[in-house]
Amino acid sequence: MSFTAAIEKLDAVRQKGVYRHSYSALLTDLYQLTMMYGYYKSGRMNQKAVFELFYRKNPCGNGFAIAAGLEQVVVFLTGLQFTAEDIDYLRSIQLFDEGFLEELRRFRFTGTVYAVEEGTVVFPSVPLLRFEGRIFELQLIESACLSFINHQTLIATKAARIVQATRGDMYDHLHQSVEFGLRRAQNADAATFGSRAAFIGGFAGTSNVYAGQNFGIPVVGTHSHSWIQSFPSELEAFRAYAATYPDRTTLLVDTYDTLKSGVPNAITVARELREKGRELLGVRLDSGDVAWLSKEVRRMLDAAGFPDVKILASGDLNEYVVRDMMLQGARVDIWCFGTALITGDDCPALGGVYKLVAKEEDGMMIPKIKVSENPEKITNPGYKRTVRLYLEDGTATADLIMLADEKLDPSQPLTLFHPIHTYKRKTIRNFKVEELLVPILQNGEIVYELPDLEQIKKRAESQLDSMPREIKRPINPHSYHVDLSEKLWELKQRLLKEARNGSI
C-alpha cells in the first residue's frame, strides 16, 4: 500500500465521530512524565529503546484472547501532541523546568511500531505490539496504549467466548448474538469501543447507535416495557408498534404474562400483519425461566402457523447461563447480552503490561530483562520476532518467540520445548510459518492499511477456525504452546545468572 493511501485511510478513520476529539497527550500516568524529565535532565532522552506490550494470563479462564484496539493506538500515536493548555497545566504543578516544557511543546511521535493485526488469536507472553524509538517518546505512550489494547482485547475475547456458548460451535449462523450493553458500561467510550470489540469477537449487531454510526456495526432493537405500559392494553401497544414498523416488528412479550397474554397477543398481531402481506419478525423474552418459556413460545408460534418467527432472549445473560439453557433445549434464535459482556463481569481487566526489552548503550542495542520471584513475570529479553507454526492440515500448533536475526527452515524438523518446564518437548515437521508482528508505523508515519471492521471480524473467524478445539473449551481449556527458541532461552538464562551475580 502506498504511503499516500495509508494517510488517506487514517484521515477517514479520524473523521469518524468517536475520534473527533483527539486524546490528550496528558492521557498518561505522572511517573511517565517524571521519567521523561529524568531522561531529559541526564542527557539520555534520545537513547534508543525497544518496548513490548503483552499479557501474562488469558482472561475469563479462557484458552486464548482476541487482539483488538490497534486502530485506536494508531489514531492516538499519529495525532499525539501537547497543546498550549497541556503545557500550562504541567507548568502549574511545578515539577518541570521550561526547557523540558519546550521539548514537550515540540513533541511528535517518531517511533516505529510492529503489531499483531486486530482479530488475531493471541496467547500469554506473545508480544502484541513492539515499539522502537527514543526512550523519551516510548515512555510517554505506555499507559494510553495499554488502556486501548487491554480494554478491547478483553471485550473481544469475552464476546468470542459468549458466541461459542450460544452457538454450540464458533460461527454457526443458525444463532446470533447482539450487544445491548450501553447503559451498563463504565462510560461512553467503554460502551462504544466495547461494541466495536464485541463485533470483532463474533457479535452480529449492537443497540448502540453511536457505535453503529462510527464503525458500521448493524444496529438492532425493539421496544421497552414502558411502550407497552403507555397504552391502554398490551394488544393496542403491539398493534401500534406493528403499524409503525410493519416490516420490522419484534414484540416484547413478558410485560404482564408471557404465555397467557404476551404471546397470544403477538400471534393476533402476526395474523393481522400476514393479512396485509407482512410477517412478524420476532418476539423477545426478558424475564422468567427463559429456557422453559422459549420452548413453550416456540410451540405456540408453530401451532399458530408462524414457525419462522424468531425468539430473542435478553435479561442479564452470560455464557454460563446460556450454555445451561442450551443443554436444557432452549429454543432461542437471537441472544442479547448487556452487562456481562460490556463490563467483562467475571474478569474486568486483561492485565496487559509494557516492558523494556532492549536499550541502546555505547551505540549498541543491549537486551534487558526484568527478574521476579514469579517465573511468569520474568520478561523475555532482546529484540525479537514471533512466528505461528501451522501443521500441514492448517491447524496452529505453537507460537515461537525468537531473536530477530534467527532463521527457520520449515523443511527441517523443529523441536519445541516449554520455556519453564524444559523437559516438555515435541518435534514438528513440514510446518508452515506466519509472522505475527507486521509493520504499522515507521518513524512515526503510518505504513499499514487499517482494515474495516468486517475484515477484522473475518480474520477473527479464520483465526479461531485454525485453532485446536481443545483450547476453545470454556472450562479447563488446553494450554496452547508458546515457546522460546533455544537461542533466546539461552540468552534469558545468561541474563538471569548475571542478575543473580549482581553483574547487571
Side-chain angles (χ1 to χ4, degrees):
M1 184 185 78
S2 70
F3 171 73
T4 301
I7 292 297
E8 288 175 350
K9 182 66 177 287
L10 179 59
D11 286 343
V13 168
R14 201 184 298 279
Q15 290 304 312
K16 295 178 179 179
V18 76
Y19 296 121
R20 284 178 190 149
H21 303 289
S22 296
Y23 286 98
S24 169
L26 298 187
L27 186 63
T28 191
D29 290 306
L30 179 61
Y31 82 157
Q32 312 291 8
L33 289 164
T34 58
M35 285 186 283
M36 291 171 70
Y37 188 48
Y39 291 132
Y40 163 78
K41 294 293 284 186
S42 62
R44 295 167 10 131
M45 60 182 283
N46 292 322
Q47 286 185 326
K48 302 298 183 183
V50 180
F51 284 80
E52 290 176 348
L53 189 158
F54 59 96
Y55 70 95
R56 298 189 178 107
K57 183 179 179 181
N58 284 321
C60 312
N62 223 38
F64 63 88
I66 303 288
L70 176 60
E71 182 177 288
Q72 197 175 0
V73 169
V74 172
V75 171
F76 171 72
L77 293 179
T78 54
L80 191 56
Q81 59 182 308
F82 289 84
T83 66
E85 290 79 10
D86 296 337
I87 300 298
D88 288 344
Y89 171 74
L90 292 175
R91 183 180 291 113
S92 75
I93 63 178
Q94 300 181 355
L95 288 174
F96 313 114
D97 66 25
E98 289 299 319
F100 177 71
L101 296 179
E102 179 61 21
E103 287 289 345
L104 296 187
R105 188 187 66 78
R106 296 193 298 264
F107 184 95
R108 298 294 185 275
F109 183 75
T110 62
T112 293
V113 179
Y114 285 74
V116 299
E117 297 186 85
E118 289 195 271
T120 301
V121 172
V122 289
F123 302 95
S125 300
V126 171
L128 307 187
L129 294 101
R130 184 178 73 221
F131 301 85
E132 309 165 22
R134 297 192 305 153
I135 197 167
F136 187 75
E137 300 179 31
L138 301 188
Q139 202 70 72
L140 174 67
I141 66 174
E142 172 183 354
S143 302
C145 291
L146 279 170
S147 175
F148 302 146
I149 298 297
N150 277 336
H151 174 244
Q152 289 198 53
T153 299
L154 174 71
I155 303 303
T157 305
K158 181 73 170 180
R161 182 176 169 86
I162 287 172
V163 166
Q164 288 179 290
T166 59
R167 297 178 181 175
D169 199 1
M170 206 67 182
Y171 305 104
D172 168 5
H173 294 285
L174 295 177
H175 297 269
Q176 289 185 327
S177 298
V178 294
E179 179 266 316
F180 280 9
L182 173 58
R183 66 189 62 193
R184 299 292 173 80
Q186 280 83 351
N187 60 37
D189 272 359
T192 303
F193 286 104
S195 295
R196 180 183 188 273
F199 190 76
I200 291 171
F203 272 52
T206 179
S207 66
N208 186 335
V209 180
Y210 193 49
Q213 177 197 32
N214 283 284
F215 304 124
I217 304 170
V219 290
V220 295
T222 56
H223 57 77
S224 69
H225 294 104
S226 64
W227 171 268
I228 307 296
Q229 294 170 291
S230 68
F231 285 81
S233 70
E234 185 177 56
L235 182 57
E236 289 175 80
F238 285 178
R239 281 172 169 159
Y241 196 80
T244 305
Y245 296 105
D247 295 315
R248 298 184 59 179
T249 302
T250 297
L251 302 172
L252 180 58
V253 294
D254 70 336
T255 304
Y256 301 122
D257 189 307
T258 300
L259 300 182
K260 292 182 180 179
S261 170
V263 176
N265 284 331
I267 289 172
T268 296
V269 171
R271 287 172 176 151
E272 293 170 355
L273 282 170
R274 182 170 287 177
E275 289 173 0
K276 300 173 184 177
R278 311 293 176 79
E279 292 292 332
L280 178 66
L281 292 187
V283 296
R284 178 161 70 96
L285 302 172
D286 190 54
S287 60
D289 186 339
V290 173
W292 176 74
L293 282 172
S294 67
K295 290 184 281 187
E296 291 299 303
V297 171
R298 182 77 275 154
R299 180 186 60 78
M300 293 170 70
L301 290 170
D302 290 354
F306 298 99
D308 295 326
V309 173
K310 303 296 185 185
I311 297 176
L312 291 72
S314 57
D316 292 327
L317 300 175
N318 61 38
E319 64 268 44
Y320 306 104
V321 171
V322 166
R323 187 170 294 275
D324 284 348
M325 288 199 291
M326 296 280 282
L327 291 173
Q328 295 164 36
R331 299 295 302 276
V332 175
D333 302 294
I334 300 174
W335 301 87
C336 310
F337 294 88
T339 306
L341 167 67
I342 208 68
T343 64
D345 65 342
D346 58 342
C347 182
L350 179 67
V353 295
Y354 181 94
K355 298 298 181 183
L356 178 71
V357 296
K359 187 173 178 293
E360 182 183 30
E361 294 180 6
D362 299 323
M364 297 180 60
M365 293 301 294
I366 304 300
K368 295 292 182 178
I369 190 170
K370 176 191 176 298
V371 181
S372 171
E373 293 296 322
N374 184 341
E376 293 179 354
K377 289 191 173 184
I378 300 173
T379 59
N380 295 317
Y383 186 79
K384 303 182 290 295
R385 56 191 280 234
T386 305
V387 297
R388 180 155 295 164
L389 308 175
Y390 294 89
L391 302 178
E392 289 183 282
D393 65 359
T395 301
T397 187
D399 287 359
L400 182 63
I401 306 173
M402 53 201 302
L403 296 175
D405 60 357
E406 291 189 74
K407 307 296 182 183
L408 275 183
D409 184 355
S411 67
Q412 298 298 313
L414 175 67
T415 298
L416 303 170
F417 60 91
H418 192 284
I420 297 175
H421 308 293
T422 56
Y423 63 90
K424 295 182 178 181
R425 294 172 177 259
K426 72 173 183 177
T427 299
I428 60 174
R429 296 173 173 82
N430 301 317
F431 54 90
K432 296 179 181 178
V433 178
E434 176 191 11
E435 292 282 350
L436 289 185
L437 292 168
V438 301
I440 307 298
L441 299 177
Q442 294 282 0
N443 301 319
E445 304 289 351
I446 186 167
V447 295
Y448 174 75
E449 182 175 6
L450 293 168
D452 61 39
L453 202 56
E454 189 65 43
Q455 290 174 308
I456 297 171
K457 182 178 183 179
K458 288 179 179 177
R459 176 172 177 80
E461 293 178 16
S462 175
Q463 285 271 304
L464 282 163
D465 284 345
S466 73
M467 291 293 152
R469 294 177 64 91
E470 292 78 11
I471 74 156
K472 294 183 279 189
R473 283 198 303 259
I475 306 296
N476 295 325
H478 177 72
S479 294
Y480 181 82
H481 295 282
V482 176
D483 300 318
L484 307 183
S485 70
E486 187 171 349
K487 189 174 180 181
L488 174 56
W489 187 86
E490 290 173 350
L491 170 64
K492 186 173 183 177
Q493 301 312 306
R494 176 173 65 80
L495 293 181
L496 284 171
K497 183 178 180 180
E498 291 176 2
R500 285 194 296 271
N501 294 336
S503 57
I504 62 172

